[in-house]
């Protein structure tokens, strides 16, 4: 069995990072960590509260601290789901590139909008037109997701299980290629 590195999922809000991360961790028999949950556990408060009391800057500081603490200190290889803004800081992008096999879950803005429409747990989408906000974020972040990605998986028009299977197949192909080349 080829020892897989940490698998880290990146992508916009609603791409399915939390959902798919849990599914692939079960299939791979690995621990699953959702970085947003780690941040909330560390803070003893939920993300809307952190944004409210410490601003987005305070949340980003917590996000970088959680990422570096959990990814670099981790002993076994795990599956991590990150928050959609993880790629905004260069130091986060360096940590991702240096410590993981990064999977970019691509979703169109239409799908992002549809999949986030029922949740009010995303502060960035509570203050204005969510479609316009998601579009603007996507223009800035899509190139950054591609910069750190080892693999890119399309999620539109695919059920979570189908996306998870495609992620697993792509990881297996990548790791096999790596061992044959090295
Ligand atoms: N491939 C998919 N097809 C349909 N719905 C999805 C898909 N992936 C995730 N979802 C749904 O979209 C919502 C957001 O998923 P989530 O995993 O929280 O995304 P993220 O962590 O990337 O923001 C959830 O209700 C989830 O069930
Ligand atoms: O895109 C972003 O900046 C954010 C995405 C959220 O995670 P999900 O991508 O899991 O919704 C969460 O980290 C926070 O609300 C900020
Ligand atoms: Mg999530």
């Amino acid at each position: 069995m080829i020892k897989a590195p940490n698998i880290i999922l990146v992508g916009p809000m609603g791409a399915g990072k939390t959902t798919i991360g849990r599914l692939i961790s079960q299939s791979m028999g690995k621990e699953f960590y959702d970085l947003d949950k780690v941040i909330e556990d560390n803070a003893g408060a939920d993300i809307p509260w952190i944004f409210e009391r410490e601003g987005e800057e305070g949340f980003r500081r917590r996000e970088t601290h959680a990422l570096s603490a959990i990814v670099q200190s981790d002993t076994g290889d795990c599956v991590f789901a990150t928050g959609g803004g993880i790629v905004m800081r260069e130091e986060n992008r360096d940590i991702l590139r240096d410590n993981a096999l990064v999977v970019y879950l691509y979703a169109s803005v239409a799908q992002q909008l549809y999949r986030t429409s029922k949740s009010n747990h995303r502060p960035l989408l509570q203050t204005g037109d969510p479609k316009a906000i998601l579009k603007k974020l996507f223009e800035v972040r899509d190139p950054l997701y591609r910069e750190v990605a080892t693999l890119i998986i399309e999620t539109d028009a695919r059920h979570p299980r189908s996306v998870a299977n495609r992620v697993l197949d792509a990881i297996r192909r990548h790791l096999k290629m790596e061992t044959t080349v090295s």
Side-chain angles (χ1 to χ4, degrees), residues 87 104 106 137-147:
V87 291
Y104 171 16
Y106 173 91
L137 290 176
F138 196 58
E139 281 159 11
V140 171
R141 294 173 175 187
D142 179 63
L144 300 178
Y145 295 132
R146 292 176 190 278
E147 185 189 306

Side-chain angles (χ1 to χ4, degrees), residues 91-110:
E91 61 188 302
N92 293 350
R93 297 198 297 272
D94 293 342
I95 293 170
L96 291 168
R97 260 195 302 262
D98 297 347
N99 291 281
L101 189 162
V102 181
V103 180
Y104 171 16
L105 294 184
Y106 173 91
S108 62
V109 171

Side-chain angles (χ1 to χ4, degrees), residues 125-141:
L125 299 184
Q126 307 309 312
T127 54
D129 169 16
K131 185 172 181 185
I133 294 167
L134 287 168
K135 188 169 180 300
K136 193 160 73 42
L137 290 176
F138 196 58
E139 281 159 11
V140 171
R141 294 173 175 187

